[in-house]
Every structure is written in C-alpha cells, then in structure tokens.
Amino acid sequence: MRTGRDLELVAVTKRYGTTVAVNAVSHLFIEGSYVCLLGPSGCGKSSTLRMIAGHETVTEGAIILAGKDIAQLPPARRGTAMMFQSYALFPHLTVRDNVAFSLKMKGIDKAERHREADQLLDLVGMTALADRLPAQLSGGQQQRAALARALITKPQVLLLDEPLSALDPFLRIHMRAELKKLQRELGITFIHVTHGQDEALALADEIVVMNNAVIEQAGPAREVFNAPKTAFVARFIGGHNVLALPQGRFAVRADEVRLAQDGAEAVVTSVEYQGAHVALNGRMAGNQEILALIPEADFFADPKSPGDSVRLSWRADRAHPLEA
Ligand code: ADP
C-alpha cells in the first residue's frame, strides 16, 4: 500500500558519456518493503542504487522520498544510507568509532555518539567486539559493523550493494536471514542489489529485474518466479523452460513438466539424479531443449535413459505466454 514515505524514481536516467547505464527508469518502492534489484552484470543496478544514495549524479529525472525530490541533496541529507560491498570500514578506527563516525562528523559529543553506537552494536549482536579493529573481525562481523554504521544515521531507506558477495556460501545464507530479520525489526525500506536469483527469491518482498538499463519486470517474488513476462526474466530467474511451439512462445517451470502418455515428443539427452528430483533433459521437435524436474519416486517408478523416446506434458494453465 502506498504511504507518504515511499521512495519513487521518476524517469531516472544515468549516462556516462555515451553509455546509457539507466534509461528513464520509473519505480515506486513501498515504505517498509525489502526490494531486490536483480539482473546481470552491467544492467544498471549499481548506478541506480548510487543515484538514490547520492554517490552518483542523476542525468535526468527525479528521486522522490517522502514527497520531496532528493536528487540534488548531498548523501547525508537524503534520508538514505548505503552499505558497500567491501564494507569500507576505516581500518584505524575501532568498531565503535566506525559506527559512531557519522555522528562525529555532525559534531555530536563523544559520550552521546558512543551511547548511540552501542545501541546499534547491540542490535546487530556486536557488543562484545566494539573495541576491536576491523582487521580483527571475520567477514560476517565486518558486515554487521558496516550495517550498524549505516543504520546510525536513522535512514528511511537502506541501500545495500551486493552485501553478501564477499562472504563464503555458508555465511551468505546465514547473513541473508539476518538481513531479513533486521529489516522486519526496523520496518524501513531495504533496497538490495544482487545478481543472484536465489538471494532475491529468499529475501525480497518485491523483485525488480533489470536488463539493459531498464526494468524488465517488477513484482512480488512469487509472481516474478511463477509468471515471468519475458524470455529474459524466465531464463534469468531460472528453473524455467522457454519454448516456442506452433501455438506461440511461452515459459513453463521445469518442475511442472511431467512424463506422460501423451504430450510433446522428446528424446532424452541426459538424466541426472539430484536427490528430491531427477533432472531429465530432452530434445523436442525443432531441436528445442527441455528440462523436466521429476520427483524422484515418480521417475524411478518408470525410469528413462538417454536415447529413450518420451512424451512430456504440463498443465496448460502453467504455460505462461511471453512478450516479445
Ligand atoms: P550493474 O550494477 O548492474 O553491474 P552498473 O550500474 O555498474 O551495472 O553499470 C551499468 C553500465 O554503466 C555498464 O555498461 C557500465 O560499464 C557503465 N558504467 C558504470 N559506472 C561507470 C562509470 N563510472 N563510468 C563509465 N561507465 C560506467
């Protein structure tokens, strides 16, 4: 639901010389939502985020937060805060002084800024490590310190640029759950840039898929996954077949494709056991590849091998037509 404190991009364009990094993008970010900007490298995600933060100038367009155009304001006066991929902690300052840094810049006295920093360190579970230097922290701890430092400015919108990419896979999954929990507790808008579809699906209330400097599709995570509008979104979000049959071009989820008595003819090209599913790849008429993720018990009731002729089907209402 729209509130008076949403963030709105209105025809925002970013050009670097002749490169159009962001092309007249408009989008409403609902207050209090967790939004992931998802897309391949170079599609304009970071430029969009940096323009919202004020770390990059806006070539054209408006950025409205709580009813006010913030596009020309300095970063510290926008009501936004940014957490960088590298965390950008000051190496010679303790965790507490890193977190308190922006308050020091504002001239707030030491006792008060340490009190506020300690509250945030408590929020991110870092109280015991407040006197350490960044080099004495693990990757996950550095990230918590960077989060606390961004949050001390009491932003209405927290901007996170690939915040999990520096972490190993195990920690990444742990920290993404913490980010989500923190966002729920704080109730502020998080805008999180990622090129990982799993990460976006796990975190986002809304996924904004970007491609070639524009928004290709935006919507709730389940909607984007279940009903991709374009071939690009279907391929990028993963788990889908993009097929062109005489009746038109469409996407169908790989786990909706079943071995059947009738349906599209295919020759099995590979079979891979994946635990819960068996991944069966086939080739259909017109040399089109198709992937079926078949529940393992169903598959082993009537197993297939490469070279076998099979018929594959799916429920008609699970095939989503794609825009050109
Ligand atoms: P993403 O975050 O999706 O990888 P970016 O916003 O970083 O995409 O980049 C979008 C496009 O703008 C790319 O073509 C990139 O090369 C270009 N670009 C980004 N930053 C600059 C810059 N400072 N100068 C020139 N071109 C840039």
Side-chain angles (χ1 to χ4, degrees):
M1 205 178 56
R2 202 172 171 139
T3 78
R5 287 190 293 157
D6 299 329
L7 172 72
E8 188 165 11
L9 306 185
V10 186
V12 170
T13 292
K14 178 68 199 180
R15 279 193 288 271
Y16 302 99
T18 54
T19 304
V20 181
V22 179
N23 190 0
V25 162
S26 294
H27 190 70
L28 181 71
F29 296 87
I30 300 289
E31 182 194 5
S33 55
Y34 202 121
V35 185
C36 285
L37 292 186
L38 174 67
S41 179
C43 72
K45 307 178 298 290
S46 294
S47 297
T48 302
L49 202 73
R50 291 200 306 265
M51 283 191 287
I52 297 170
H55 296 305
E56 196 66 77
T57 57
V58 173
T59 310
E60 278 158 30
I63 301 176
I64 313 289
L65 178 56
K68 197 169 74 173
D69 189 350
I70 60 169
Q72 308 306 327
L73 294 178
R77 292 190 34 221
R78 291 188 170 210
T80 61
M82 178 112 162
M83 197 182 96
F84 296 92
Q85 185 173 359
S86 57
Y87 312 140
L89 296 169
F90 299 113
H92 57 287
L93 294 183
T94 64
V95 168
R96 181 184 287 111
D97 284 331
N98 261 287
V99 174
F101 186 77
S102 67
L103 300 185
K104 185 174 183 185
M105 291 295 100
K106 282 188 186 161
I108 292 168
D109 73 66
K110 192 169 180 173
E112 173 59 18
R113 61 181 195 255
H114 279 181
R115 195 185 63 77
E116 288 191 37
D118 286 346
Q119 277 179 359
L120 282 154
L121 287 169
D122 181 47
L123 180 73
V124 298
M126 286 282 290
T127 301
L129 305 178
D131 296 314
R132 288 209 189 163
L133 293 172
Q136 299 167 320
L137 302 177
S138 71
Q141 291 162 348
Q142 286 181 29
Q143 190 189 49
R144 291 198 184 101
L147 264 174
R149 190 178 61 173
L151 291 170
I152 202 160
T153 61
K154 301 194 172 66
Q156 297 170 54
V157 179
L158 182 67
L159 305 161
L160 306 109
D161 193 1
E162 302 260 4
L164 303 171
S165 61
L167 305 176
D168 66 57
F170 177 79
L171 202 53
R172 199 176 300 156
I173 289 171
H174 179 74
M175 286 307 294
R176 90 180 174 205
E178 293 208 358
L179 279 179
K180 179 91 177 177
K181 181 165 165 272
L182 190 63
Q183 189 267 338
R184 288 283 179 267
E185 282 169 14
L186 294 167
I188 64 171
T189 309
F190 276 31
I191 305 177
H192 173 138
V193 161
T194 178
H195 58 263
Q197 38 280 70
D198 291 354
E199 197 166 300
L201 290 171
L203 282 168
D205 298 314
E206 185 183 36
I207 296 182
V208 176
V209 184
M210 290 187 71
N211 184 29
N212 285 332
V214 298
I215 294 176
E216 187 107 356
Q217 183 171 358
R222 287 190 67 199
E223 185 183 300
V224 172
F225 184 69
N226 282 305
K229 278 192 191 154
T230 64
F232 171 82
V233 175
R235 293 205 176 95
F236 195 78
I237 206 86
H240 286 79
N241 291 288
V242 174
L243 299 172
L245 294 188
Q247 59 268 38
R249 186 177 214 199
F250 61 90
V252 63
R253 274 169 52 166
D255 60 352
E256 299 279 0
V257 178
R258 290 283 169 270
L259 288 163
Q261 299 304 321
D262 52 8
E265 286 180 24
V267 175
V268 178
T269 55
S270 72
V271 170
E272 189 178 83
Y273 180 59
Q274 294 185 345
H277 290 102
V278 174
L280 182 150
N281 276 285
R283 186 166 296 123
M284 302 197 304
N287 236 356
Q288 294 193 79
E289 300 279 343
I290 184 166
L291 169 65
L293 289 176
I294 301 166
E296 67 137 19
D298 293 358
F299 179 86
F300 288 107
D302 183 14
K304 305 293 179 194
S305 305
D308 289 353
S309 288
V310 294
R311 283 179 178 271
L312 299 169
S313 76
W314 48 87
R315 278 175 46 183
D317 64 342
R318 298 301 167 93
H320 296 278
L322 298 171
E323 288 169 13

